[in-house]
PDB file of all heavy atoms in Angstrom:
ATOM      1  N   PHE D  30       9.828  -6.187  -4.455  1.00 93.00           N
ATOM      2  CA  PHE D  30       9.677  -4.885  -5.106  1.00 93.00           C
ATOM      3  C   PHE D  30       8.757  -4.965  -6.370  1.00 93.00           C
ATOM      4  O   PHE D  30       7.917  -4.156  -6.562  1.00 93.00           O
ATOM      5  CB  PHE D  30      11.093  -4.439  -5.526  1.00 93.00           C
ATOM      6  CG  PHE D  30      11.025  -3.110  -6.296  1.00 93.00           C
ATOM      7  CD1 PHE D  30      10.948  -1.911  -5.655  1.00 93.00           C
ATOM      8  CD2 PHE D  30      11.166  -3.120  -7.700  1.00 93.00           C
ATOM      9  CE1 PHE D  30      10.929  -0.716  -6.392  1.00 93.00           C
ATOM     10  CE2 PHE D  30      11.139  -1.983  -8.391  1.00 93.00           C
ATOM     11  CZ  PHE D  30      11.037  -0.732  -7.762  1.00 93.00           C
ATOM     12  N   SER D  48     -15.427  -3.555 -11.241  1.00 89.00           N
ATOM     13  CA  SER D  48     -16.558  -3.365 -10.375  1.00 89.00           C
ATOM     14  C   SER D  48     -17.171  -2.003 -10.432  1.00 89.00           C
ATOM     15  O   SER D  48     -18.326  -1.850  -9.923  1.00 89.00           O
ATOM     16  CB  SER D  48     -16.076  -3.616  -8.928  1.00 89.00           C
ATOM     17  OG  SER D  48     -15.201  -2.622  -8.504  1.00 89.00           O
ATOM     18  N   MET D  51     -14.887   2.587  -8.184  1.00 90.00           N
ATOM     19  CA  MET D  51     -14.192   3.870  -8.296  1.00 90.00           C
ATOM     20  C   MET D  51     -14.167   4.310  -9.700  1.00 90.00           C
ATOM     21  O   MET D  51     -14.051   3.473 -10.654  1.00 90.00           O
ATOM     22  CB  MET D  51     -12.717   3.618  -7.787  1.00 90.00           C
ATOM     23  CG  MET D  51     -12.602   3.287  -6.380  1.00 90.00           C
ATOM     24  SD  MET D  51     -13.089   4.664  -5.312  1.00 90.00           S
ATOM     25  CE  MET D  51     -13.827   3.831  -3.940  1.00 90.00           C
ATOM     26  N   SER D  55     -22.029   8.597  -6.151  1.00 94.00           N
ATOM     27  CA  SER D  55     -22.518   9.698  -5.325  1.00 94.00           C
ATOM     28  C   SER D  55     -23.181   9.168  -4.026  1.00 94.00           C
ATOM     29  O   SER D  55     -23.938   8.166  -4.063  1.00 94.00           O
ATOM     30  CB  SER D  55     -23.519  10.558  -6.060  1.00 94.00           C
ATOM     31  OG  SER D  55     -24.122  11.508  -5.240  1.00 94.00           O
ATOM     32  N   SER D  82      -5.780 -12.002  -3.886  1.00 87.00           N
ATOM     33  CA  SER D  82      -4.619 -11.136  -4.149  1.00 87.00           C
ATOM     34  C   SER D  82      -4.284 -10.233  -2.961  1.00 87.00           C
ATOM     35  O   SER D  82      -3.153  -9.670  -2.883  1.00 87.00           O
ATOM     36  CB  SER D  82      -4.839 -10.209  -5.373  1.00 87.00           C
ATOM     37  OG  SER D  82      -6.011  -9.378  -5.159  1.00 87.00           O
ATOM     38  N   VAL D 102      16.955   6.110  12.641  1.00 96.00           N
ATOM     39  CA  VAL D 102      15.856   6.606  13.391  1.00 96.00           C
ATOM     40  C   VAL D 102      15.366   5.496  14.338  1.00 96.00           C
ATOM     41  O   VAL D 102      15.692   4.342  14.192  1.00 96.00           O
ATOM     42  CB  VAL D 102      14.705   7.060  12.499  1.00 96.00           C
ATOM     43  CG1 VAL D 102      15.075   8.296  11.692  1.00 96.00           C
ATOM     44  CG2 VAL D 102      14.234   5.903  11.581  1.00 96.00           C
ATOM     45  N   SER D 109       5.240   1.953  13.557  1.00 92.00           N
ATOM     46  CA  SER D 109       4.081   2.794  13.225  1.00 92.00           C
ATOM     47  C   SER D 109       3.616   2.515  11.778  1.00 92.00           C
ATOM     48  O   SER D 109       2.429   2.400  11.510  1.00 92.00           O
ATOM     49  CB  SER D 109       4.386   4.255  13.445  1.00 92.00           C
ATOM     50  OG  SER D 109       4.722   4.499  14.805  1.00 92.00           O
ATOM     51  N   SER D 114      -0.264   0.257   8.328  1.00 87.00           N
ATOM     52  CA  SER D 114      -0.625  -0.424   7.091  1.00 87.00           C
ATOM     53  C   SER D 114      -1.591  -1.608   7.335  1.00 87.00           C
ATOM     54  O   SER D 114      -2.440  -1.854   6.511  1.00 87.00           O
ATOM     55  CB  SER D 114       0.665  -0.923   6.398  1.00 87.00           C
ATOM     56  OG  SER D 114       1.307  -1.938   7.177  1.00 87.00           O
ATOM     57  N   TYR D 138     -32.258  -8.748  -0.996  1.00 94.00           N
ATOM     58  CA  TYR D 138     -32.069  -7.835   0.081  1.00 94.00           C
ATOM     59  C   TYR D 138     -32.932  -6.626  -0.146  1.00 94.00           C
ATOM     60  O   TYR D 138     -33.081  -6.148  -1.265  1.00 94.00           O
ATOM     61  CB  TYR D 138     -30.594  -7.424   0.237  1.00 94.00           C
ATOM     62  CG  TYR D 138     -29.682  -8.470   0.832  1.00 94.00           C
ATOM     63  CD1 TYR D 138     -28.558  -8.894   0.172  1.00 94.00           C
ATOM     64  CD2 TYR D 138     -29.949  -9.020   2.096  1.00 94.00           C
ATOM     65  CE1 TYR D 138     -27.715  -9.861   0.712  1.00 94.00           C
ATOM     66  CE2 TYR D 138     -29.087  -9.968   2.629  1.00 94.00           C
ATOM     67  CZ  TYR D 138     -27.999 -10.387   1.920  1.00 94.00           C
ATOM     68  OH  TYR D 138     -27.170 -11.357   2.454  1.00 94.00           O
ATOM     69  N   SER D 157     -11.647   6.230   5.737  1.00 80.00           N
ATOM     70  CA  SER D 157     -10.601   5.618   6.548  1.00 80.00           C
ATOM     71  C   SER D 157      -9.189   6.117   6.243  1.00 80.00           C
ATOM     72  O   SER D 157      -8.210   5.529   6.754  1.00 80.00           O
ATOM     73  CB  SER D 157     -10.579   4.085   6.391  1.00 80.00           C
ATOM     74  OG  SER D 157     -10.239   3.743   5.087  1.00 80.00           O
ATOM     75  N   LEU D 158      -9.090   7.214   5.502  1.00 74.00           N
ATOM     76  CA  LEU D 158      -7.770   7.695   5.102  1.00 74.00           C
ATOM     77  C   LEU D 158      -6.970   8.145   6.334  1.00 74.00           C
ATOM     78  O   LEU D 158      -5.740   8.172   6.279  1.00 74.00           O
ATOM     79  CB  LEU D 158      -7.886   8.818   4.120  1.00 74.00           C
ATOM     80  CG  LEU D 158      -8.451   8.451   2.746  1.00 74.00           C
ATOM     81  CD1 LEU D 158      -8.541   9.668   1.844  1.00 74.00           C
ATOM     82  CD2 LEU D 158      -7.644   7.333   2.089  1.00 74.00           C
ATOM     83  N   TRP D 165       1.957   7.249   7.053  1.00 88.00           N
ATOM     84  CA  TRP D 165       2.778   8.053   6.155  1.00 88.00           C
ATOM     85  C   TRP D 165       3.409   9.211   6.880  1.00 88.00           C
ATOM     86  O   TRP D 165       4.462   9.664   6.449  1.00 88.00           O
ATOM     87  CB  TRP D 165       1.974   8.552   4.942  1.00 88.00           C
ATOM     88  CG  TRP D 165       1.420   7.411   4.112  1.00 88.00           C
ATOM     89  CD1 TRP D 165       0.161   7.274   3.714  1.00 88.00           C
ATOM     90  CD2 TRP D 165       2.177   6.389   3.504  1.00 88.00           C
ATOM     91  NE1 TRP D 165       0.048   6.121   2.916  1.00 88.00           N
ATOM     92  CE2 TRP D 165       1.322   5.571   2.800  1.00 88.00           C
ATOM     93  CE3 TRP D 165       3.574   6.025   3.558  1.00 88.00           C
ATOM     94  CZ2 TRP D 165       1.731   4.417   2.110  1.00 88.00           C
ATOM     95  CZ3 TRP D 165       3.964   4.891   2.881  1.00 88.00           C
ATOM     96  CH2 TRP D 165       3.059   4.125   2.157  1.00 88.00           C
ATOM     97  N   MET D 166       2.866   9.626   7.966  1.00 90.00           N
ATOM     98  CA  MET D 166       3.592  10.625   8.802  1.00 90.00           C
ATOM     99  C   MET D 166       4.849  10.053   9.341  1.00 90.00           C
ATOM    100  O   MET D 166       5.921  10.653   9.324  1.00 90.00           O
ATOM    101  CB  MET D 166       2.681  11.103   9.970  1.00 90.00           C
ATOM    102  CG  MET D 166       3.386  12.050  10.908  1.00 90.00           C
ATOM    103  SD  MET D 166       2.384  12.508  12.367  1.00 90.00           S
ATOM    104  CE  MET D 166       2.322  10.898  13.226  1.00 90.00           C
ATOM    105  N   PHE D 168       6.536   7.555   8.057  1.00 95.00           N
ATOM    106  CA  PHE D 168       7.416   7.388   6.911  1.00 95.00           C
ATOM    107  C   PHE D 168       8.105   8.688   6.511  1.00 95.00           C
ATOM    108  O   PHE D 168       9.335   8.709   6.347  1.00 95.00           O
ATOM    109  CB  PHE D 168       6.617   6.858   5.737  1.00 95.00           C
ATOM    110  CG  PHE D 168       7.428   6.504   4.526  1.00 95.00           C
ATOM    111  CD1 PHE D 168       8.435   5.497   4.588  1.00 95.00           C
ATOM    112  CD2 PHE D 168       7.190   7.117   3.317  1.00 95.00           C
ATOM    113  CE1 PHE D 168       9.162   5.208   3.495  1.00 95.00           C
ATOM    114  CE2 PHE D 168       7.965   6.780   2.179  1.00 95.00           C
ATOM    115  CZ  PHE D 168       8.895   5.797   2.257  1.00 95.00           C
ATOM    116  N   LEU D 174      14.362  12.830   9.269  1.00 97.00           N
ATOM    117  CA  LEU D 174      15.294  12.714  10.427  1.00 97.00           C
ATOM    118  C   LEU D 174      16.466  11.795  10.123  1.00 97.00           C
ATOM    119  O   LEU D 174      17.449  11.836  10.895  1.00 97.00           O
ATOM    120  CB  LEU D 174      14.559  12.211  11.645  1.00 97.00           C
ATOM    121  CG  LEU D 174      13.403  13.095  12.183  1.00 97.00           C
ATOM    122  CD1 LEU D 174      12.696  12.438  13.296  1.00 97.00           C
ATOM    123  CD2 LEU D 174      13.946  14.414  12.530  1.00 97.00           C
ATOM    124  N   VAL D 189       4.919  14.193   3.894  1.00 89.00           N
ATOM    125  CA  VAL D 189       4.195  14.887   4.937  1.00 89.00           C
ATOM    126  C   VAL D 189       3.058  15.723   4.297  1.00 89.00           C
ATOM    127  O   VAL D 189       1.923  15.708   4.859  1.00 89.00           O
ATOM    128  CB  VAL D 189       5.120  15.780   5.751  1.00 89.00           C
ATOM    129  CG1 VAL D 189       4.306  16.676   6.747  1.00 89.00           C
ATOM    130  CG2 VAL D 189       6.128  14.934   6.551  1.00 89.00           C
ATOM    131  N   LEU D 193      -1.143  15.017   4.771  1.00 76.00           N
ATOM    132  CA  LEU D 193      -2.003  16.072   5.340  1.00 76.00           C
ATOM    133  C   LEU D 193      -3.274  16.233   4.493  1.00 76.00           C
ATOM    134  O   LEU D 193      -4.335  16.515   5.044  1.00 76.00           O
ATOM    135  CB  LEU D 193      -1.239  17.383   5.408  1.00 76.00           C
ATOM    136  CG  LEU D 193      -0.248  17.499   6.537  1.00 76.00           C
ATOM    137  CD1 LEU D 193       0.557  18.846   6.468  1.00 76.00           C
ATOM    138  CD2 LEU D 193      -0.878  17.355   7.912  1.00 76.00           C
ATOM    139  N   ALA D 204     -20.834  15.453   5.230  1.00 89.00           N
ATOM    140  CA  ALA D 204     -21.406  15.981   3.977  1.00 89.00           C
ATOM    141  C   ALA D 204     -21.848  14.832   3.106  1.00 89.00           C
ATOM    142  O   ALA D 204     -21.160  13.835   2.954  1.00 89.00           O
ATOM    143  CB  ALA D 204     -20.260  16.778   3.274  1.00 89.00           C
ATOM    144  N   PHE D 236      13.338   1.899  -5.482  1.00 95.00           N
ATOM    145  CA  PHE D 236      14.172   1.182  -6.486  1.00 95.00           C
ATOM    146  C   PHE D 236      15.628   1.585  -6.398  1.00 95.00           C
ATOM    147  O   PHE D 236      16.537   0.753  -6.323  1.00 95.00           O
ATOM    148  CB  PHE D 236      13.660   1.436  -7.877  1.00 95.00           C
ATOM    149  CG  PHE D 236      14.547   0.909  -8.996  1.00 95.00           C
ATOM    150  CD1 PHE D 236      14.389  -0.387  -9.357  1.00 95.00           C
ATOM    151  CD2 PHE D 236      15.502   1.683  -9.640  1.00 95.00           C
ATOM    152  CE1 PHE D 236      15.231  -0.957 -10.377  1.00 95.00           C
ATOM    153  CE2 PHE D 236      16.309   1.205 -10.610  1.00 95.00           C
ATOM    154  CZ  PHE D 236      16.180  -0.129 -11.007  1.00 95.00           C
ATOM    155  N   PRO D 243      24.513  -1.211  -0.064  1.00 91.00           N
ATOM    156  CA  PRO D 243      25.701  -2.067  -0.006  1.00 91.00           C
ATOM    157  C   PRO D 243      25.396  -3.491   0.440  1.00 91.00           C
ATOM    158  O   PRO D 243      24.557  -3.704   1.305  1.00 91.00           O
ATOM    159  CB  PRO D 243      26.642  -1.354   0.969  1.00 91.00           C
ATOM    160  CG  PRO D 243      26.119   0.015   1.125  1.00 91.00           C
ATOM    161  CD  PRO D 243      24.628  -0.108   0.900  1.00 91.00           C
ATOM    162  N   TYR D 254      31.658 -20.833   5.727  1.00 43.00           N
ATOM    163  CA  TYR D 254      32.079 -22.225   5.695  1.00 43.00           C
ATOM    164  C   TYR D 254      33.285 -22.382   6.586  1.00 43.00           C
ATOM    165  O   TYR D 254      34.089 -21.486   6.690  1.00 43.00           O
ATOM    166  CB  TYR D 254      32.442 -22.644   4.231  1.00 43.00           C
ATOM    167  CG  TYR D 254      31.259 -22.752   3.288  1.00 43.00           C
ATOM    168  CD1 TYR D 254      30.786 -21.644   2.546  1.00 43.00           C
ATOM    169  CD2 TYR D 254      30.612 -23.989   3.199  1.00 43.00           C
ATOM    170  CE1 TYR D 254      29.703 -21.742   1.719  1.00 43.00           C
ATOM    171  CE2 TYR D 254      29.460 -24.108   2.333  1.00 43.00           C
ATOM    172  CZ  TYR D 254      29.040 -22.999   1.622  1.00 43.00           C
ATOM    173  OH  TYR D 254      28.028 -23.108   0.833  1.00 43.00           O
TER     174      TYR D 254
END
Side-chain angles (χ1 to χ4, degrees):
F30 175 82
S48 66
M51 295 291 146
S55 173
S82 63
V102 294
S109 297
S114 64
Y138 285 123
S157 65
L158 294 181
W165 296 128
M166 177 185 67
F168 184 61
L174 298 175
V189 172
L193 284 176
F236 172 85
Y254 289 89

